[in-house]
Amino acid sequence: MMTSSGMRIEPLTPAIGAELTGIDLGQVTPDLVEEIRGALLEHKVVFFRDQHISREQHIEFARQFGELEIHPATPKDQPSPEVLRIAHGPESRGSENMWHSDVTWREEPSLGSILRALDVPAVGGDTLFANMYAAYESLSPAMQSFVETLTAKH
């Protein structure tokens, strides 16, 4: 699908994800931000290839979607505290390499995260996502009713 700004939206699966092409994240307009927001809300995860933006452009792009939060794991002395740098290798596999939801314990959880991969291995290094709306919708009506009575405490 092509949008009015010339951005192309290519769904990746029936349940989640779309690739957005034909844009430069270093030069976004308010109209383009709204188109990206719409694609995000519809597809739950969007990604862009071959975007060569600086850390400052990354932060400025993120600010178009609302106030930025400082992740609690961000080192206090780090420049650009809006960016949580995650670096792993053979000696550092990472503790976040399991199914999790980022900062859902906050009273007002963030809209999402904008990941910027600078060095990706040829094999592995995947970030996986699940569409919890689709998971809920696939439940039987009885199970949906039961789930609606539950609460979570973080």
Side-chain angles (χ1 to χ4, degrees):
M1 173 185 140
M2 182 82 73
T3 68
S4 62
S5 70
M7 179 177 75
R8 185 164 201 77
I9 303 172
E10 295 293 334
L12 298 174
T13 74
I16 192 168
E19 180 176 3
L20 308 184
T21 60
I23 58 175
D24 178 355
L25 295 183
Q27 300 179 7
V28 295
T29 64
D31 289 342
L32 180 58
V33 168
E34 285 310 307
E35 289 178 355
I36 294 170
R37 182 187 305 274
L40 175 62
L41 294 176
E42 180 177 348
H43 298 282
K44 313 302 181 241
V45 175
V46 297
F47 82 97
F48 316 87
R49 291 186 198 270
D50 303 319
Q51 294 291 320
H52 305 285
I53 59 173
S54 67
R55 177 183 298 236
E56 293 74 22
Q57 288 171 311
H58 179 178
I59 293 168
E60 185 55 35
F61 174 66
R63 281 195 176 114
Q64 305 304 307
F65 295 88
E67 184 178 338
L68 302 184
E69 69 178 19
I70 308 303
H71 193 283
T74 303
K76 301 297 180 218
D77 60 347
Q78 174 183 297
S80 304
E82 304 90 340
V83 175
L84 171 62
R85 184 175 183 273
I86 301 173
H88 295 306
E91 304 303 316
S92 171
R93 296 178 51 107
S95 61
E96 70 283 342
N97 290 334
M98 61 182 168
W99 283 107
H100 69 278
S101 294
D102 292 339
V103 296
T104 57
W105 48 266
R106 290 187 183 238
E107 190 169 326
E108 291 186 37
S110 56
L111 171 66
S113 298
I114 299 176
L115 307 176
R116 181 173 155 236
L118 299 178
D119 187 18
V120 180
V123 175
D126 303 80
T127 298
L128 305 174
F129 298 91
N131 183 337
M132 299 311 290
Y133 289 100
Y136 173 81
E137 290 167 0
S138 71
L139 298 174
S140 69
M143 185 56 75
Q144 286 179 356
S145 293
F146 171 71
V147 167
E148 289 171 3
T149 68
L150 302 176
T151 59
K153 191 171 196 172
H154 295 265

